[in-house]
């Protein structure tokens, strides 16, 4: 019988060898996504069941409960609106997290993400306790989050994360060089970052049941330059397997119009803004609990502040169920039918219509 490590070694992809093909596929995906967006617009002109979602509102539960355990960040990414916001910042108390988690399970929910709309979860000193509570909570099947990875080596966080019981960790980063990382993430901490990624992958590789890890590149440089770089070949490629993968962001959303084309660098491209938004967005069926207990529809993006007209209640004052099935949530969704959209939604490029097919799948 082969050991886990032998199986992983056998499945290592030859990423660098196929760098030209990956590079071509990356740019093709941007245009395919643009064509898909145009097709979506055209389809909505002929969409005859704009109010179909109303039949499902009383039985649907949030697909994922997102937690903003902190909205403080240690990077200044050029593709993110964090660096321009002025709203209050803080860290979520454990009591708020526990209440929301327990009520989410009672509603029938089973997936939790510790990915903030804008913030770095590793900056929450109580993150490991929250992860362990979630993974051991009856009814919760999946727990994951995105991180920029900068703090992985602080207090051996990489070890604590792997040992926490979490099933998946996604790292958002730029290229494998100090210059490209600083250009995109706005901070000069690349040596600390790459060391953290290396230690995480190395420690995870020693486990009999390693955590799923994805390294998500947001590059300004050509993809082939990343895959052929010395640091990629030394610190990342040796650990690639069916449990450790790499991904590349095809294009970037505009944060409701806050991020412009001129904010991006190199090969980075903006997503097309959908022209037709006749039915509620699928993201209005998810919930984000902000650090102070405020509950917000859409865990993806805000425009100028997360404390905007998508905030529908506070879990410290009402139950999650009362909020989710409450009048304010219904009014926001109905606003799409009359073209009265929340401020963050009007020019958002992440819009996806909640069609009857999507609702039935949920």
């Amino acid at each position: 019988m082969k050991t886990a490590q032998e199986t992983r070694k056998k499945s290592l992809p030859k990423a660098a060898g196929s760098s030209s093909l990956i590079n071509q596929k990356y740019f093709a995906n941007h245009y395919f996504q643009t064509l898909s967006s145009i097709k979506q617009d055209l389809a909505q002109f002929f969409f005859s069941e704009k109010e179909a979602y109303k039949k499902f509102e009383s039985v649907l539960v949030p697909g994922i409960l997102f937690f903003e355990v902190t909205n403080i960040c240690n990077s200044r990414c050029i593709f993110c609106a964090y660096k321009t916001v002025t709203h209050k910042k803080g860290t979520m108390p454990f009591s708020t997290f526990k209440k929301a988690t327990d009520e989410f399970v009672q509603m029938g929910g089973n997936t939790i993400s510790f990915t903030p709309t804008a913030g770095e979860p590793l900056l929450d000193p109580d993150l490991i306790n929250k992860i362990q509570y979630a993974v051991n909570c009856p009814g919760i099947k999946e727990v994951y989050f995105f991180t920029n990875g900068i703090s992985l080596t602080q207090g051996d966080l990489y070890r604590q994360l792997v040992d926490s019981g979490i099933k998946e960790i996604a790292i958002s980063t730029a290229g494998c060089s100090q210059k490209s990382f600083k250009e995109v993430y706005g901070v000069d901490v690349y040596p600390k970052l790459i060391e953290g990624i290396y230690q995480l992958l190395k420690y995870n590789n020693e486990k009999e049941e390693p955590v799923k890890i994805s390294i998500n590149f947001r590059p300004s440089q050509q993809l082939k330059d990343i895959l052929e770089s010395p640091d990629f070949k030394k610190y990342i490629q040796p650990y690639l397997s069916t449990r450790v993968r790499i991904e590349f962001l095809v294009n970037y959303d505009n944060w409701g119009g806050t991020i412009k084309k001129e904010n991006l660098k190199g090969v980075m491209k903006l997503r097309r803004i959908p022209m037709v938004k006749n039915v509620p967005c699928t993201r209005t069926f998810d919930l984000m609990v902000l650090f102070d207990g405020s509950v917000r529809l859409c865990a993806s993006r805000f425009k100028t502040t997360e404390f905007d007209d998508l905030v529908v209640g506070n879990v410290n004052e009402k139950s999650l169920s009362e909020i989710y099935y409450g009048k304010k949530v219904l009014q926001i969704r109905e606003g799409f039918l009359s073209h009265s959209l929340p401020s963050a939604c009007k020019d958002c490029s992440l819009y996806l219509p909640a069609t009857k097919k999507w609702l039935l799948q949920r």
Side-chain angles (χ1 to χ4, degrees), residues 129-254:
N129 286 334
K130 290 169 183 167
I131 290 175
Q132 290 176 334
Y133 184 84
V135 298
N136 292 305
C137 185
I140 297 298
K141 296 180 180 179
E142 185 177 357
V143 180
Y144 72 96
F145 70 95
F146 273 81
T147 170
N148 61 29
I150 294 172
S151 299
L152 282 169
T153 57
Q154 187 172 329
D156 286 345
L157 260 176
Y158 68 90
R159 290 177 180 267
Q160 296 182 57
L161 288 171
V162 171
D163 295 337
S164 68
I166 198 168
K167 299 301 181 183
E168 186 167 357
I169 301 169
I171 299 172
S172 171
T173 187
C176 287
S177 73
Q178 189 163 353
K179 179 182 178 181
S180 60
F181 182 81
K182 184 179 179 181
E183 180 179 57
V184 176
Y185 278 69
V187 287
D188 196 8
V189 293
Y190 174 75
K192 181 180 179 181
L193 165 76
I194 197 65
E195 176 65 19
I197 292 176
Y198 169 67
Q199 293 296 343
L200 174 68
L201 296 179
K202 180 181 178 183
Y203 184 68
N204 189 55
N205 192 59
E206 297 169 356
K207 298 296 179 179
E208 192 62 29
E209 294 186 18
V211 175
K212 287 184 180 179
I213 296 174
S214 62
I215 300 174
N216 298 258
F217 288 101
R218 282 86 170 95
S220 60
Q221 61 191 132
Q222 295 278 344
L223 272 63
K224 63 183 180 62
D225 293 333
I226 297 174
L227 298 174
E228 295 171 1
S229 67
D231 280 2
F232 178 83
K233 292 180 178 180
K234 179 179 180 180
Y235 297 115
I236 297 176
Q237 188 173 348
Y239 298 101
L240 294 180
S241 70
T242 55
R243 305 286 294 182
V244 179
R245 66 184 188 275
I246 56 172
E247 296 182 2
F248 299 94
L249 186 65
V250 174
N251 48 28
Y252 300 78
D253 62 277
N254 66 355

Side-chain angles (χ1 to χ4, degrees), residues 7 54 89 114 121 146 153 160 185 208 224 270 278 283 290-291 312 314 331-332:
T7 302
K54 292 184 178 181
K89 298 182 175 66
F114 288 95
F146 273 81
T153 57
Q160 296 182 57
Y185 278 69
E208 192 62 29
K224 63 183 180 62
L270 272 182
N278 284 341
R283 302 177 199 279
L290 306 181
F291 78 91
V312 291
N314 191 299
Q331 289 175 337
I332 289 174

Side-chain angles (χ1 to χ4, degrees), residues 1-194:
M1 181 179 292
K2 292 184 180 294
T3 65
Q5 287 192 0
E6 287 173 332
T7 302
R8 288 197 290 274
K9 288 179 181 177
K10 186 176 180 179
S11 63
L12 292 180
K14 297 179 181 179
S18 59
S19 60
S20 296
L21 180 62
I22 292 176
N23 206 60
Q24 293 171 13
K25 185 178 179 182
Y26 172 81
F27 291 109
N29 281 343
H30 167 69
Y31 295 107
F32 285 138
Q33 193 174 78
T34 300
L35 289 173
S36 177
S37 174
I38 296 172
K39 183 180 177 181
Q40 174 183 293
D41 278 352
L42 294 173
Q44 285 197 66
F45 279 116
F46 306 100
F47 189 60
S48 60
E49 297 184 85
K50 293 181 180 180
E51 299 190 21
Y53 75 94
K54 292 184 178 181
K55 303 174 185 178
F56 300 85
E57 285 187 315
S58 62
V59 294
L60 284 175
V61 298
I64 304 171
L65 182 60
F66 293 85
F67 281 101
E68 177 192 80
V69 290
T70 182
N71 63 349
I72 300 168
C73 194
N74 51 3
S75 63
R76 298 293 183 273
C77 305
I78 60 175
F79 54 82
C80 178
Y82 175 83
K83 57 188 177 297
T84 63
V85 299
T86 57
H87 56 229
K88 59 184 178 180
K89 298 182 175 66
T91 301
M92 179 180 291
F94 186 85
S95 57
T96 299
F97 165 75
K98 182 179 183 302
K99 181 178 185 293
T101 299
D102 293 346
E103 292 175 355
F104 176 58
V105 172
Q106 291 171 9
M107 292 170 65
N110 59 30
T111 302
I112 284 178
S113 174
F114 288 95
T115 307
T117 305
E120 172 48 47
L122 295 188
L123 297 182
D124 175 11
D126 202 32
L127 176 64
I128 300 300
N129 286 334
K130 290 169 183 167
I131 290 175
Q132 290 176 334
Y133 184 84
V135 298
N136 292 305
C137 185
I140 297 298
K141 296 180 180 179
E142 185 177 357
V143 180
Y144 72 96
F145 70 95
F146 273 81
T147 170
N148 61 29
I150 294 172
S151 299
L152 282 169
T153 57
Q154 187 172 329
D156 286 345
L157 260 176
Y158 68 90
R159 290 177 180 267
Q160 296 182 57
L161 288 171
V162 171
D163 295 337
S164 68
I166 198 168
K167 299 301 181 183
E168 186 167 357
I169 301 169
I171 299 172
S172 171
T173 187
C176 287
S177 73
Q178 189 163 353
K179 179 182 178 181
S180 60
F181 182 81
K182 184 179 179 181
E183 180 179 57
V184 176
Y185 278 69
V187 287
D188 196 8
V189 293
Y190 174 75
K192 181 180 179 181
L193 165 76
I194 197 65

